[in-house]
Amino acid sequence: MSLAPLLLLACALGAHTAPAKTLRWGGDSSGGAPFVFQDPKDPSKTVGFEADLAEALAAELGHKAEFVQNQWDSLVPGLKRGNYDVVINGLEITEDRKAEVEFSDPYYLTYETLTVPKADFSVASLADLKGRRAGTLKGALAERLLAEAGGVTVVGYDTQTMLYDDLANGRIDAVLMDHPAAVYYGIDARLKNLPGQFGRMAYGVAIRKGDDKLLAAVNGAIARLMKSGKLREIYERWGIWNPVMAAAFADESSNHAEPTEYAAYLAARGVKLGWRASLAKYGSYVPLLAKGAVTTVELSLLAMFFAVLLGLTLALMKLYGPWPVSALATLYVEFIRGSPLLIQLFFIFYGLPTVGIKLQPFAAAVLGLALNYAAYEAEVYRAGIQAIPHAQMEAALALGMTRWQALRHIIIPQALRLVLPPTTNDFIALLKDSSLVSVITMVELTRVYGQLAASTYDYLGIGVLTALMYVLIGLPFVRLSRWAEARLAVERRPRIS
């Protein structure tokens, strides 16, 4: 019997079972509806009209879509670094961004909408904002429009949910945001969206420069989705089909699809729950928060381990090294302590790849935290070592020990006992500072909190739950430290008669 039919069958089966290619797309799910956000009904799911668009584009390309979380203002650096293939998250096509990345043909056209308190009738245009405080997203086109208006104090935010909250609470006088955001957040009972349209903007899929093949494929997919009516259906389901899109699509016909996703979002946001249902709702958040907490603990333990080793080394270099070594240790400590941790993380994650050093997010986060905290640990250990009477070193040397033996067996064990409390404090501080690594695509406990709060509008309840988790994470280490202090407190041990 010939093997050819079996080989052909195997090839055919292989073709069907081969894993689909993946289109990794970057976005910020803490930005809020309707772009990309956590489903209020099932927070483990990422939804939004751009999530649907990414799925549709990937399907057109024969790929499987995979979402990669990153902070919104770091999406372009993350793309250039190669963390994902494309960015789909309300990126306006602007000349300065086009200098950094390629943009696909526009997939959505819109304008800015001005939102003010419902009782305010004094504002009708950007010119009326002179002498007032207006909020918008950092780096967005609206920020430039407000700056160009002149005389406006522009307040930049990281997420749109916070700026509408601040407007409702009277901390700012107006919000200028993309129309889709105003549709979802400007409907608060205390606010109103003004009818005027400010500026014009087009959202495009951002792609790395030089990736012409992917750019052509994405443009072709957008054209097919537009022609088939799939794009309009997505926008209508999310309630963001607008006159600008109708004119661009040359499609002035009546609605094709019901705004089911918009209605579902409003229903989820407006539902008042009893205490049992509220407890069940918060219980559903625990697995996601716990997953973020595990990442936080892993990061913190590893970073503190390396920080302690490097900090002790720096302290010994500073105290006992020849003057060039001592000066180098001093320079490191002063430079690291004098510069913000956030800048150091940006440098490690986005700066080092320009010289060929490309670290994974987890490794970059551990390295950044460890290098930063090592500087503080070095000073703690230096103080601990200097607290040991110098006579003990002299006695050890007089007994024939080398300096290293005296340090290892006499000085350092006593110093470590003294520095245990401040080191524990530093670990607790590192635990909380680990939230900063969300800027380099790490999804830890604080980032999960931001995602959930942005989708549910519940900053209070989820905030309390998150704070409790931080306390529960830190408590065992505090207890362990106190136990170790008691064990090492030789002066408290009973004397042997």
Side-chain angles (χ1 to χ4, degrees):
M1 179 181 175
S2 172
L3 293 176
L6 292 177
L7 290 174
L8 287 173
L9 178 60
C11 291
L13 288 174
H16 285 294
T17 57
K21 292 182 180 177
T22 301
L23 179 69
R24 303 181 79 239
W25 64 283
D28 184 2
S29 63
S30 62
F35 300 89
V36 187
F37 61 104
Q38 304 305 126
D39 187 349
K41 293 175 292 186
D42 182 358
S44 64
K45 293 180 181 175
T46 302
V47 296
F49 84 91
E50 287 178 323
D52 288 352
L53 173 65
E55 292 286 347
L57 281 177
E60 284 290 327
L61 298 175
H63 293 359
K64 180 182 177 184
E66 180 183 329
F67 174 65
V68 180
Q69 166 66 34
N70 198 6
Q71 191 163 296
W72 193 81
D73 52 8
S74 298
L75 286 173
V76 169
L79 174 67
K80 294 172 69 176
R81 192 182 180 281
N83 293 342
Y84 26 80
D85 304 312
V86 298
V87 173
I88 307 174
N89 198 187
L91 275 190
E92 302 114 345
I93 302 175
T94 59
E95 290 303 319
D96 54 344
R97 284 190 181 132
K98 285 166 72 175
E100 300 294 325
V101 294
E102 296 287 357
F103 275 104
S104 70
D105 295 333
Y107 64 80
Y108 186 71
L109 304 170
T110 187
Y111 46 86
E112 304 287 359
T113 293
L114 194 57
T115 306
V116 297
K118 185 157 280 184
D120 188 350
F121 295 94
S122 62
V123 176
S125 68
L126 297 184
D128 297 329
L129 294 177
K130 188 169 290 187
R132 299 174 187 241
R133 290 164 56 84
T136 189
L137 282 185
K138 294 174 184 173
L141 178 64
E143 191 175 42
R144 303 177 200 179
L145 292 177
L146 288 170
E148 290 169 5
V152 183
T153 301
V154 183
V155 184
Y157 287 79
D158 291 323
T159 66
Q160 58 202 21
T161 52
M162 290 181 180
L163 64 92
Y164 282 98
D165 266 352
D166 272 7
L167 178 62
N169 291 321
R171 297 191 184 102
I172 53 178
D173 302 306
V175 164
L176 185 67
M177 275 296 296
D178 299 4
H179 183 65
V183 168
Y184 278 70
Y185 295 101
I187 56 169
D188 186 290
R190 297 163 290 178
L191 308 176
K192 62 182 176 184
N193 290 325
L194 299 181
Q197 300 178 4
F198 303 94
R200 283 285 185 276
M201 70 197 71
Y203 296 162
V205 178
I207 299 167
R208 275 186 297 278
K209 281 192 175 294
D211 202 346
D212 298 332
K213 188 176 177 182
L214 180 58
L215 177 63
V218 169
N219 280 336
I222 290 175
R224 291 193 294 276
L225 290 171
M226 194 180 295
K227 187 176 179 181
S228 67
K230 179 70 176 176
L231 267 187
R232 172 166 178 164
E233 180 195 331
I234 291 173
Y235 301 143
E236 285 183 331
R237 284 195 293 107
W238 286 96
I240 56 170
W241 179 255
N242 63 46
V244 180
M245 287 295 297
F249 279 41
D251 185 355
E252 302 287 350
S253 60
S254 57
N255 286 1
H256 296 170
E258 294 299 320
T260 51
E261 301 293 348
Y262 181 56
Y265 174 82
L266 294 183
R269 181 175 157 182
V271 170
K272 301 293 183 187
L273 301 174
W275 68 271
R276 288 180 187 276
S278 295
L279 284 179
K281 182 186 72 170
Y282 289 125
S284 71
Y285 300 151
V286 169
L288 279 178
L289 290 169
K291 188 177 177 183
V294 169
T295 303
T296 295
V297 172
E298 289 175 344
L299 268 176
S300 303
L301 286 175
L302 275 174
M304 197 65 193
F305 174 75
F306 290 115
V308 167
L309 289 182
L310 181 57
L312 183 57
T313 304
L314 287 166
L316 295 175
M317 288 169 61
K318 195 169 180 177
L319 288 172
Y320 301 106
W323 77 262
V325 175
S326 179
L328 187 64
T330 302
L331 182 66
Y332 176 89
V333 169
E334 297 307 325
F335 181 78
I336 295 296
R337 284 199 309 182
S339 55
L341 172 59
L342 196 60
I343 291 178
Q344 293 162 16
L345 288 171
F346 277 126
F347 174 81
I348 291 170
F349 194 65
Y350 295 114
L352 288 185
T354 59
V355 294
I357 302 173
K358 187 176 175 182
L359 299 173
Q360 292 300 310
F362 188 85
V366 170
L367 181 64
L369 289 169
L371 291 178
N372 182 273
Y373 270 81
Y376 296 95
E377 294 310 296
E379 289 301 276
V380 169
Y381 302 148
R382 182 180 63 81
I385 291 171
Q386 288 183 321
I388 307 301
H390 189 64
Q392 295 201 24
M393 171 65 83
E394 292 175 346
L397 295 176
L399 289 172
M401 286 186 175
T402 64
R403 185 178 292 276
W404 168 243
Q405 287 173 327
L407 283 170
R408 181 183 172 191
H409 297 292
I410 306 295
I411 306 298
I412 291 178
Q414 296 183 75
L416 287 180
R417 179 170 60 87
L418 295 176
V419 302
L420 205 50
T423 302
T424 305
N425 280 341
D426 285 346
F427 177 72
I428 300 297
L430 187 150
L431 198 66
K432 292 179 285 186
D433 278 352
S434 65
S435 61
L436 291 174
V437 303
S438 62
V439 299
I440 57 172
T441 76
M442 286 298 298
V443 181
E444 40 63 64
L445 183 52
T446 301
R447 174 55 65 179
V448 176
Y449 160 65
Q451 292 170 337
L452 291 174
S455 64
T456 61
Y457 238 65
D458 182 3
Y459 284 91
L460 181 61
I462 302 175
V464 170
L465 195 59
T466 306
L468 281 174
M469 281 201 159
Y470 271 109
V471 172
L472 291 175
I473 291 171
L475 273 180
F477 297 102
V478 173
R479 299 291 300 172
L480 182 64
S481 169
R482 287 179 182 164
W483 174 83
E485 282 179 53
R487 293 281 297 174
L488 295 173
V490 292
E491 69 275 9
R492 297 180 191 170
R493 292 179 185 173
R495 294 180 180 278
I496 300 174
S497 57

